[in-house]
Amino acid sequence: MTSENTVRSQNSGAAGRPRADRARQVADVLRQQVLSEAFGAGPLPHEDVLAQEFGASRNTVRQALDLLRGEGLVRRVPGSGTLVAAEKVPHGLNRLEGLAETLHEHGEVVNEVRSFGPVRAPGAVARRFGLPDGADVVYVERLRRLNGLPLSLDLTYLAPDIGALLEPADLAHRDVFRLIEEAAGQPLGAADITLEAVNADAHSAAVLEVPRGAALLMLERLSTLADGRPVDLEYVRFRGDRLAMRGRLLRDLT
Amino acid sequence: MTSENTVRSQNSGAAGRPRADRARQVADVLRQQVLSEAFGAGPLPHEDVLAQEFGASRNTVRQALDLLRGEGLVRRVPGSGTLVAAEKVPHGLNRLEGLAETLHEHGEVVNEVRSFGPVRAPGAVARRFGLPDGADVVYVERLRRLNGLPLSLDLTYLAPDIGALLEPADLAHRDVFRLIEEAAGQPLGAADITLEAVNADAHSAAVLEVPRGAALLMLERLSTLADGRPVDLEYVRFRGDRLAMRGRLLRDLT
């Protein structure tokens, strides 16, 4: 290996680097251990043990734990040490699945239907569906809870013929994907998705019961039936502290 | 359609709903139009035009634009209207690709190597590589810029035999994926990824040149060679205002 002016070498992650850089390094590995439930329901190892494990000082470990506490991932309990604060559930990223489908092992998803009914589609929405300008679509807004706590706020536009067959009462306890498939008499085929990280505006924060500015995972998803027709356009805000997306990518450069 | 007590019907997205709910609805459709470059380099349509398009009041449209301005996606320029503030680039989510590979149409990726050298692997890292506790790995830290502006901060652990063959000078201008494939004499095969939204801590914010608390898209990625051996474990913080992940999911419930 060569060494350059711009490159600082290090040993055991300790020498010659600002503590904030080393704390981030420790925090990232710990975050993933928390997510993969390496510590179960118990506390994280003691700071001395972590310092040994990471070849870092106790102060660096303490700063790393502060970072994770700032994210709401862990909390400090006097006498008990550092505990995992809230379960962060994994949303599958390899197949098109509804929330209740992907989280069935993690608890019950209940939806509060905040709005349901026909609306004139904005031009940009009509075009995504291949509908003429000014066509009606069905708009559904749901606050979705997992085990009682808000998980996501979903804004959904449905193709008018499909939306007309849905009952709001069914939307409270079932994924819209299943309802669409029953209404259409065919399975969904695929979806184009966009994932972003955004800060919660004041009103969305209040609805999701997080502080203003909290990081949200924002999903836009246009789902099509097996025959290729777009029927479901969704804008979903997931609480960043409660959900992670997990999947597998193949290299396949051919 | 039935109507329930908990369900408010609406017409054209206007009647009977708090303005903040309607503003979010307008903002989400506009956000996606900005991302898909529907407005090109020009300004967004005038508020009156948008109000007509969305069947919303001017005040609602103004509030929607405020939401997008809060995210740093658009800015208001006196005399010119609302302009797209910064290009948000799409990172492919369907194949395992390096940043320079996936963004080659959007500009030049240049990496500042902040750290490079062998470190004793923390236990959790050694286990991901299938290495014995206390084994050395090569640690690389890079601040990655696209067209001069910070895009991501990448913390990377490399299998020791692969890392020993890399030159820091090459890391400044090339994706580590290509360098790994040359060093290993075989292509990468796949990667397990986790995506989260987190708020930037003070130090990461300073490095990425964003306000403290800015939403970041956090990626953890363990990449394996075609023969299945894990060689590259990365923790990547993308600026939420500069990058979105885009991909296609198949339903495929069989």
Side-chain angles (χ1 to χ4, degrees), chain B:
Chain B
M1 301 179 201
T2 67
S3 167
E4 293 198 331
N5 278 343
T6 57
V7 177
R8 284 163 292 176
S9 271
Q10 58 165 16
N11 205 338
S12 304
R17 309 188 65 220
R19 181 186 295 152
D21 281 333
R22 285 177 285 128
R24 183 194 302 114
Q25 213 176 320
V26 172
D28 282 357
V29 174
L30 278 177
R31 180 189 298 103
Q32 214 55 32
Q33 289 186 275
V34 169
L35 286 184
S36 56
E37 299 175 37
F39 309 119
L44 271 61
H46 191 273
E47 288 172 4
D48 289 334
V49 176
L50 292 175
Q52 170 81 19
E53 160 98 2
F54 284 94
S57 71
R58 250 185 91 153
N59 279 336
T60 298
V61 166
R62 205 167 291 144
Q63 196 169 332
L65 293 172
D66 281 346
L67 291 178
L68 299 182
R69 221 165 50 230
E71 293 177 19
L73 199 64
V74 302
R75 61 200 169 95
R76 181 171 295 170
V77 177
S80 300
T82 301
L83 300 178
V84 177
E87 191 194 11
K88 200 157 175 173
V89 293
H91 192 306
L93 196 53
N94 280 344
R95 296 189 312 181
L96 178 58
E97 289 186 311
L99 202 58
E101 283 174 335
T102 195
L103 298 181
H104 68 277
E105 290 175 358
H106 295 270
E108 191 193 5
V109 175
V110 175
N111 309 310
E112 177 194 328
V113 180
R114 306 178 83 233
S115 182
F116 181 95
V119 299
R120 185 172 65 81
V125 171
R127 285 189 289 278
R128 301 293 292 279
F129 282 112
L131 294 171
D133 259 27
D136 269 9
V137 289
V138 172
Y139 179 73
V140 184
E141 194 170 306
R142 294 169 294 165
L143 176 64
R144 316 192 69 177
R145 295 173 189 272
L146 176 69
N147 301 328
L149 276 179
L151 184 65
S152 69
L153 177 61
D154 297 24
L155 281 53
T156 302
Y157 299 86
L158 297 169
D161 58 320
I162 301 289
L165 297 172
L166 301 197
E167 301 283 346
D170 290 334
L171 284 163
H173 291 279
R174 301 188 59 199
D175 280 342
V176 73
F177 283 172
R178 293 289 189 183
L179 298 172
I180 290 171
E181 290 176 328
E182 289 174 11
Q186 64 173 303
L188 290 164
D192 291 313
I193 67 164
T194 303
L195 273 170
E196 299 170 78
V198 302
N199 291 100
D201 63 271
H203 191 254
S204 299
V207 173
L208 287 166
E209 298 174 24
V210 292
R212 180 177 182 163
L216 304 177
L217 199 55
M218 174 95 205
L219 168 68
E220 198 237 28
R221 179 174 58 199
L222 179 67
S223 303
T224 53
L225 292 173
D227 68 11
R229 181 163 73 101
V231 288
D232 175 10
L233 175 61
E234 301 200 30
Y235 300 89
V236 184
R237 282 167 176 76
F238 291 106
R239 275 177 57 161
D241 63 335
R242 293 209 68 207
L243 186 131
M245 295 273 171
R246 287 215 153 154
R248 189 171 173 82
L249 307 183
L250 300 180
R251 179 76 166 147
D252 187 21
L253 290 182
T254 54

Side-chain angles (χ1 to χ4, degrees), chain A residues 12-33:
Chain A
S12 305
R17 308 188 66 219
R19 182 186 295 152
D21 282 334
R22 287 178 283 126
R24 183 194 302 113
Q25 215 176 319
V26 172
D28 282 356
V29 174
L30 278 177
R31 181 190 298 104
Q32 214 55 34
Q33 290 187 275

Side-chain angles (χ1 to χ4, degrees), chain A residues 147-160:
Chain A
N147 301 327
L149 276 179
L151 184 64
S152 69
L153 177 62
D154 296 25
L155 282 53
T156 304
Y157 299 86
L158 298 170

